[in-house]
């Protein structure tokens, strides 16, 4: 397709470098330009309406036209557009947001450190694990474990934990110190005759052996998404987190809960940690923290870690890390307003009330000939596409089953996301209604029918 050089598409091709895009294909097909949004809908430059079935990138929890967030940004911009948190400085939005986050935080988390994105939160959490272990004299305890098919971001350390070939190939990742353990997906990796609980036991035993083999004195932390999102929407098998946490405790390995997708109601509770009984030493979040209206992320740590940070900064003279925009007052004001809306509009109650319908319609798609498993929790769902439902055999990679299916679904004006392992992710804004859920799944079904006809 050719694009006039002075058109929006032509100018995009001339100047923009697109993340997570096949750049050669992009030169042929050009950009999909989104110009405005309203509720759960977005509109392209021809004013075609689409349902945003992935809430942008699992992030616009309050949809695309929440005026209170625009007003909160404007008001803070008028009041104080920038100040920072270095060297004892503070701002009112950051103080109030930190207080609010600790108020709702799971487990024993006691302090908040603000950053600008999920990747930055994960990188910072890793630095904090290293700093903590240095502070308490366990200077060898530095390896970080993630699960294969995990997604934790793209910066060099977070990208080392993102155990997906498409995010590591060509980038010299992972670095040393980052190791990977089993993916907790019962459908794909459970063995014949093995129960879900036995599968969880096997994975915990494998983790135990792996830590012993590495040397427990060299392993600092394990990072886990409560529900694995971008790697294929994988819900943990029953008893998994209980068993994994026992192993970590035994070897004095910290647990980082990566709540960048799950946080703020996605799984039906405020945190994935609440849904799965996880008690983290550190927690990372971003995305729905501000409903994605402005970039902001956070790392929360227990007071036990914090006390060690205090000791070490006394010794070193400084807690020597900081980002210019970490705790940006405008982003913090918008995040604070987001948390107030979650409370004022009882968004958690709303999610609980529409979840049964969402999950019922999701499970129903499991009967489709193209779908091996439909899985999910709360308002997150995933489909794993298969060529053969009985044997779970997948399509040959060259078929590009998931991207092909996503294109067919887009033909019905529903934006979703193809995922690794022939997955399809569904993650609408949290404000979605029962009627909109029906519309989403009707469109999905029609898209799957078209994909089946195309894939054969
Ligand atoms: C669980 C998880 N962690 C971290 C990240 C990275 O966040 P960001 O894209 O804001 O850097 C993501 C992004 O999707 C994520 O899903």
């Amino acid at each position: 397709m050719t694009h006039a050089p002075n058109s929006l598409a032509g100018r995009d091709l001339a100047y923009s470098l697109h993340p997570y895009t096949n750049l050669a294909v992009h030169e042929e097909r050009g950009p999909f330009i989104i110009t405005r949004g309203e509720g759960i809908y977005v509109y392209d430059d021809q004013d075609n309406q689409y349902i945003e079935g992935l809430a942008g990138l699992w992030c616009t929890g309050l949809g695309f036209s929440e005026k209170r967030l625009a007003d909160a940004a404007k008001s803070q911009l008028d009041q104080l557009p920038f100040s920072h948190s270095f060297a004892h400085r503070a701002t009112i939005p950051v103080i109030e947001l930190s207080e609010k986050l600790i108020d709702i935080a799971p487990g024993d988390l006691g302090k908040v450190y603000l950053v600008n994105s999920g990747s930055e939160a994960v990188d910072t959490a890793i630095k904090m694990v290293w700093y903590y272990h240095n502070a308490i004299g366990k200077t060898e305890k530095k390896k970080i474990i993630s699960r294969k098919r995990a997604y934790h971001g793209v910066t060099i350390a977070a990208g080392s934990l993102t155990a997906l070939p498409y995010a590591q190939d060509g980038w010299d990742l992972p670095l040393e110190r980052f190791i990977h353990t089993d993916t907790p997906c019962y459908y794909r990796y459970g063995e014949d005759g093995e129960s879900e609980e036995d599968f969880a036991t096997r994975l915990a035993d494998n983790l135990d052996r792996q830590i012993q083999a590495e040397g427990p004195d060299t392993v600092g932390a394990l990072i886990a998404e409560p529900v694995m999102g971008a790697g294929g929407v994988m819900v943990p098998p029953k008893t998994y987190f209980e068993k994994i946490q026992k192993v970590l405790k035994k070897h004095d390995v910290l647990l980082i809960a990566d709540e960048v997708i799950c946080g703020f109601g996605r799984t039906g509770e405020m945190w994935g940690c609440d849904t799965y009984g996880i008690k983290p030493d550190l927690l990372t979040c971003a995305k729905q923290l501000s409903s994605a209206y402005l970039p902001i992320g956070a790392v929360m740590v227990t007071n036990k870690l914090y006390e060690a940070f205090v000791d070490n900064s006394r010794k070193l003279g400084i807690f020597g890390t900081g980002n210019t925009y970490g705790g940006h007052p405008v982003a913090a004001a918008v995040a604070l307003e987001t948390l107030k809306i979650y409370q004022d509009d009882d968004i958690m109650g709303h999610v609980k009330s529409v979840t049964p319908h969402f999950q019922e319609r999701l499970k129903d798609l499991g009967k489709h000939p193209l779908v091996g498993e439909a899985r999910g929790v709360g308002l997150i769902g995933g489909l794993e596409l298969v060529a053969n439902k009985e044997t779970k055999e997948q399509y040959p990679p060259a078929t590009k089953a998931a991207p092909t299916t996503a294109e067919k679904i887009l033909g019905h004006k529903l934006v979703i996301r193809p995922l690794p392992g022939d997955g399809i992710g569904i993650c609408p804004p949290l404000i979605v209604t029962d009627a909109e859920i029906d519309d989403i799944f009707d469109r999905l079904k029609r898209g799957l029918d078209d994909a089946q006809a195309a894939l054969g």
Side-chain angles (χ1 to χ4, degrees):
M1 197 190 281
T2 53
H3 301 277
N6 60 352
S7 66
L8 278 172
R11 287 151 64 201
D12 171 84
L13 289 173
Y15 303 114
S16 286
L17 182 51
H18 284 258
Y20 281 137
T21 298
N22 180 326
L23 301 178
V25 172
H26 188 69
E27 291 194 349
E28 293 296 317
R29 60 179 277 176
F32 173 28
I33 302 171
I34 301 294
T35 55
R36 66 190 178 93
E38 199 178 322
I40 66 161
Y41 301 98
V42 292
Y43 296 80
D44 68 14
D45 55 344
Q46 308 301 311
D47 220 29
N48 293 306
Q49 185 196 59
Y50 300 80
I51 297 180
E52 238 306 351
L54 206 90
L57 284 172
W58 332 78
C59 53
T60 48
L62 295 173
F64 293 84
S65 50
E66 179 45 79
K67 192 163 177 320
R68 278 179 65 179
L69 297 183
D71 290 345
K74 169 85 169 64
S75 156
Q76 185 59 42
L77 279 165
D78 288 341
Q79 175 79 23
L80 177 70
F82 180 75
S83 185
H84 59 83
S85 304
F86 289 20
H88 313 287
R89 291 215 197 176
T91 63
I92 294 168
V94 168
I95 293 169
E96 292 188 343
L97 176 62
S98 303
E99 181 182 39
K100 185 91 193 139
L101 276 170
I102 292 305
D103 184 40
I104 61 173
D108 295 335
L109 301 169
K111 285 283 186 295
V112 179
Y113 184 91
L114 293 174
V115 293
N116 303 289
S117 69
S119 297
E120 217 179 88
V122 169
D123 257 49
T124 305
I126 295 162
K127 283 182 79 176
M128 288 181 177
V129 168
W130 292 343
Y131 193 82
Y132 170 72
H133 282 125
N134 287 334
I136 63 169
K138 294 190 175 173
T139 52
E140 298 299 309
K141 231 167 152 46
K142 298 291 169 54
K143 292 176 193 161
I144 314 282
I145 305 176
S146 71
R147 287 95 49 87
K148 292 171 197 151
R149 297 182 65 182
Y151 192 93
H152 297 293
V154 294
T155 45
I156 290 176
S160 293
L161 295 169
T162 291
L164 290 163
Y166 77 81
Q168 295 192 324
D169 290 354
W171 300 104
D172 288 6
L173 295 174
L175 296 185
E176 282 179 25
R177 283 193 181 186
F178 298 94
I179 51 183
H180 304 110
T181 191
D182 302 305
T183 314
C185 180
Y186 178 59
Y187 170 77
R188 185 49 61 195
Y189 305 110
E191 290 175 354
D192 281 348
E194 189 178 42
S195 73
E196 225 176 297
E197 284 87 345
D198 288 348
F199 174 59
T201 305
R202 175 159 64 84
L203 265 49
D205 289 347
N206 283 350
L207 177 66
D208 193 4
R209 272 194 294 276
Q210 201 173 358
I211 294 174
Q212 311 252 24
E214 293 289 338
D217 290 346
T218 70
V219 181
L222 176 137
I223 184 164
E225 303 155 81
V227 173
M228 297 178 82
V233 185
M234 288 169 278
V235 177
K238 284 186 203 115
T239 70
Y240 172 79
F241 275 108
E242 177 192 319
K243 289 169 180 163
I244 290 288
Q245 287 181 99
K246 266 195 195 129
V247 173
L248 299 179
K249 246 199 171 63
K250 173 173 154 196
H251 295 298
D252 196 16
V253 171
L254 299 173
L255 174 59
I256 308 168
D258 186 350
E259 294 264 12
V260 168
I261 285 181
C262 293
F264 312 103
R266 182 53 66 188
T267 64
E269 303 290 341
M270 182 60 79
W271 304 98
C273 286
D274 299 331
T275 302
Y276 295 108
I278 302 168
K279 214 172 152 217
D281 300 288
L282 302 97
L283 182 151
T284 51
C285 62
K287 297 193 189 268
Q288 292 190 151
L289 169 55
S290 63
S291 190
Y293 278 44
L294 281 177
I296 185 166
V299 187
M300 293 192 261
V301 298
T302 58
N303 283 326
K304 180 175 163 195
L305 266 70
Y306 169 70
E307 295 303 336
F309 297 170
V310 174
D311 286 347
N312 217 29
S313 79
R314 189 177 291 119
K315 196 166 82 198
L316 299 175
I318 194 165
F319 184 60
T321 190
N323 317 66
T324 300
Y325 301 133
H328 192 288
V330 183
V334 169
L336 181 63
E337 191 68 8
T338 304
L339 300 189
K340 285 183 184 160
I341 296 171
Y342 290 157
Q343 203 162 25
D344 294 348
D345 295 359
D346 189 20
I347 294 293
M348 301 306 123
H350 172 74
V351 171
K352 277 194 171 65
S353 78
V354 297
T355 284
H357 191 53
F358 180 87
Q359 290 297 329
E360 190 187 313
R361 293 287 321 246
L362 176 72
K363 290 283 142 49
D364 200 48
L365 280 188
K367 297 181 199 143
H368 194 279
L370 200 53
V371 177
E373 187 183 47
R375 52 188 177 236
V377 61
L379 285 182
I380 184 168
L383 307 176
E384 183 163 333
L385 307 177
V386 288
N388 183 324
K389 271 174 107 76
E390 300 307 313
T391 62
K392 302 184 187 174
E393 188 191 332
Q394 297 186 302
Y395 283 95
T399 319
K400 298 196 182 310
T404 302
T405 303
E407 279 298 317
K408 296 294 179 193
I409 294 169
L410 187 64
H412 295 278
K413 304 281 188 284
L414 171 64
V415 182
I416 46 83
R417 198 163 160 74
L419 303 173
D422 283 348
I424 296 290
I426 310 144
C427 183
L430 301 175
I431 55 167
V432 71
T433 63
D434 278 336
E436 289 167 341
I437 287 170
D438 279 330
D439 197 2
I440 290 172
F441 282 98
D442 291 348
R443 294 182 197 210
L444 259 173
K445 162 85 172 55
R446 291 200 291 274
L448 285 171
D449 291 344
D450 295 350
Q452 194 197 355
L455 292 167

